[in-house]
Amino acid sequence: MKILLVGEYSRLHNSLKEGLVQLGHEVVIVGFKDGFKNFPVDLPLYQNWSGKFSGKIKNLIFRLTGFDLNSYGTYLQIKRYHKKLRGFDVVQLINENTFYCTPFFEKKILHYLFKNNVKTFLLCCGTDYPTINYYYQNPQFKSLLQPYLDGKIDDISFQNVLKYRKTEFKKLHDYIYKNIVGVLASDLDYHIPMQNHPKYLGMIPNPINIEKLPYHTPEIKDKIVIYHGINDANYYKKGNDYFEKALEIIAEKYGDRVEIETTRSVPYATYINLYQKAHILLDMVYSHDQGYHALEAMAQGKVVFTGAEKEFEQYYHLAEKVNINACPDVNYLVEQLSYLIDNPSEIEAISQRARSFVEREHNYINIAKQYLKVWSEGYKKL
């Protein structure tokens, strides 16, 4: 099968590609490299009007005319790739706004993909029209919308999320859904909002290439090492403010018994290397399930503070913890961290269960097989 994966978030499509290639399929990834994370892409795209000076020019032109230079630039790059973007059996879009273009140019790009390939599927693995609507309608549902509703994020900083509720993006959503075979979700944060949607085909968990992530039994000697990797662009969305406050208390409470490592917006390869010596990794607060980086850390035996709500435990039939459910509550986070520091044997036990869980539920070869099954069967739901 010839497969085109469009877009990249947190290495999802790269790991899926690795699984599909192992199974004998031809796979091409087109898209941006997910910002500073710099993931590999076969047909790379660039936003050439995002520098400090060029960005100001772009914004001025957009305010005066409504014309977006980055969108036009992306459209031209796609036109140059036209011969390489046709004749695929399957196209999978990673999002409703995969190319980060204004709806006008996004639609022009998608029209070419829909017209020149056999069938297209959509992944629900980030913000889009259905999920943001669900979060608004259910404000108590733990999601990235909560810090915005609490007033921690202003409208301008949250524009990449709020845009999906605008009329032009709703029209783009409708256009995409008319032309795709169906939608798949990558975890419960998107699976739950998509329930009962007529085009929803089901959830396929994130693929993790465990062969690239060897397990390391935690060696606890003098100190418990805690790693907190911050992406400044998503600071409040991930709940980093709660983690930082909790770590201040932990540092004062335990002193030399803990070592706390904090980094900000480092490239993916650097991020992976920096947390190697950590026993505990702080990932995110506002989620029900694990994101990609949490799963990679779990595969390597880290005890990860991330989404692990009851829905997660029930879906995977878990009787014991494979990670720590993080919540927007500083006292709760301090309590959970303190328990692990005072009971290092629990770190070892969760570490082993975390690795087993990822091997069982997220093996990239098995996940690739699930995708192939859905792509082949089309409208049949999981």
Side-chain angles (χ1 to χ4, degrees):
M1 191 179 284
K2 192 178 178 185
I3 300 156
L4 177 66
L5 302 177
V6 184
E8 178 61 298
Y9 288 163
S10 299
R11 210 181 183 281
L12 193 164
H13 268 170
N14 268 273
S15 293
L16 178 56
K17 175 184 175 178
E18 288 160 3
L20 292 167
V21 169
Q22 285 276 2
L23 295 170
H25 299 276
E26 181 183 345
V27 186
V28 173
I29 301 177
V30 60
F32 299 95
K33 298 183 177 184
D34 203 7
F36 68 87
K37 297 171 189 173
N38 199 31
F39 295 115
V41 173
D42 301 304
L43 302 175
L45 300 173
Y46 303 93
Q47 290 189 323
N48 297 318
W49 292 87
S50 297
K52 203 172 262 189
F53 180 68
S54 61
K56 288 180 180 178
I57 295 175
K58 178 202 74 170
N59 292 338
L60 178 62
I61 292 174
F62 184 76
R63 281 198 300 270
L64 293 174
T65 67
F67 186 82
D68 182 59
L69 288 169
N70 263 337
S71 296
Y72 181 60
T74 299
Y75 170 68
L76 292 179
Q77 291 174 67
I78 290 294
K79 283 194 76 173
R80 288 195 287 270
Y81 285 143
H82 266 187
K83 290 182 179 179
K84 298 179 179 180
L85 296 175
R86 62 192 187 199
F88 289 89
D89 302 300
V90 169
V91 174
Q92 179 163 277
L93 307 174
I94 206 163
N95 182 253
E96 289 185 10
N97 193 205
T98 299
F99 299 99
Y100 306 114
C101 292
T102 56
F104 174 79
F105 284 110
E106 193 86 15
K107 198 170 179 179
K108 286 176 74 70
I109 294 170
L110 291 172
H111 175 74
Y112 182 83
L113 295 179
F114 294 149
K115 183 180 177 182
N116 291 281
N117 297 289
V118 178
K119 53 186 174 181
T120 303
F121 293 81
L122 173 67
L123 261 185
C124 183
C125 65
T127 51
D128 56 21
Y129 178 77
T131 54
I132 296 305
N133 262 1
Y134 182 88
Y135 298 158
Y136 262 101
Q137 293 164 7
N138 300 273
Q140 299 309 310
F141 184 83
K142 194 168 75 166
S143 76
L144 54 73
L145 192 66
Q146 288 186 322
Y148 171 74
L149 296 176
D150 290 341
K152 294 181 178 181
I153 310 174
D154 59 55
D155 286 0
I156 294 174
S157 302
F158 211 56
Q159 197 53 233
N160 63 334
V161 175
L162 297 177
K163 69 183 181 184
Y164 290 104
R165 304 194 83 211
K166 293 182 177 180
T167 301
E168 59 266 35
F169 277 92
K170 171 60 166 64
K171 289 180 179 178
L172 175 62
H173 160 83
D174 292 339
Y175 173 74
I176 292 171
Y177 271 64
K178 284 178 183 176
N179 286 278
I180 58 172
V181 175
V183 188
L184 293 158
S186 62
D187 67 51
L188 292 167
D189 294 286
Y190 315 112
H191 171 72
I192 295 170
M194 290 301 297
Q195 292 294 293
N196 303 318
H197 192 289
K199 285 238 169 173
Y200 184 52
L201 299 175
M203 182 174 110
I204 300 180
N206 283 305
I208 302 295
N209 188 341
I210 54 176
E211 293 170 15
K212 291 190 173 184
L213 300 167
Y215 174 72
H216 302 288
T217 303
E219 294 183 10
I220 302 172
K221 297 177 182 177
D222 299 329
K223 299 180 180 182
I224 302 294
V225 182
I226 304 170
Y227 180 75
H228 183 204
I230 298 171
N231 176 353
D232 284 319
N234 292 325
Y235 182 81
Y236 288 108
K237 291 180 193 174
K238 300 285 188 179
N240 288 300
D241 51 329
Y242 290 101
F243 283 140
E244 288 205 299
K245 289 174 184 175
L247 288 175
E248 287 176 10
I249 297 171
I250 289 295
E252 186 175 342
K253 180 178 180 180
Y254 288 99
D256 290 341
R257 289 180 61 189
V258 296
E259 179 182 335
I260 297 170
E261 180 77 34
T262 300
T263 60
R264 291 182 177 272
S265 299
V266 297
Y268 170 78
T270 306
Y271 171 84
I272 291 291
N273 288 330
L274 285 172
Y275 75 56
Q276 291 305 316
K277 69 175 184 177
H279 303 109
I280 298 170
L281 183 140
L282 307 183
D283 177 54
M284 69 171 73
V285 160
Y286 296 108
S287 64
H288 284 64
D289 199 342
Q290 295 88 65
Y292 209 87
H293 290 161
L295 290 168
E296 288 191 323
M298 288 167 60
Q300 294 174 86
K302 311 305 176 187
V303 176
V304 183
F305 279 63
T306 185
E309 292 288 332
K310 288 182 180 178
E311 293 91 340
F312 163 72
E313 294 177 344
Q314 291 168 358
Y315 184 88
Y316 289 106
H317 308 291
L318 298 174
E320 296 179 291
K321 288 182 179 180
V322 296
N323 47 31
I324 304 297
N325 185 37
C327 296
D329 182 329
V330 173
N331 291 332
Y332 166 82
L333 294 173
V334 169
E335 178 185 296
Q336 294 296 315
L337 284 165
S338 297
Y339 179 77
L340 293 171
I341 295 166
D342 293 332
N343 298 274
S345 61
E346 188 64 13
I347 293 176
E348 296 172 5
I350 294 175
S351 167
Q352 294 170 4
R353 293 197 293 266
R355 174 67 180 197
S356 296
F357 171 76
V358 176
E359 287 179 344
R360 183 174 68 251
E361 304 292 350
H362 293 275
N363 183 296
Y364 75 119
I365 300 291
N366 295 336
I367 297 300
K369 289 178 181 177
Q370 291 183 49
Y371 272 101
L372 290 167
K373 185 173 186 293
V374 172
W375 292 337
S376 298
E377 295 179 353
Y379 290 97
K380 189 174 181 181
K381 295 180 183 291
L382 290 168

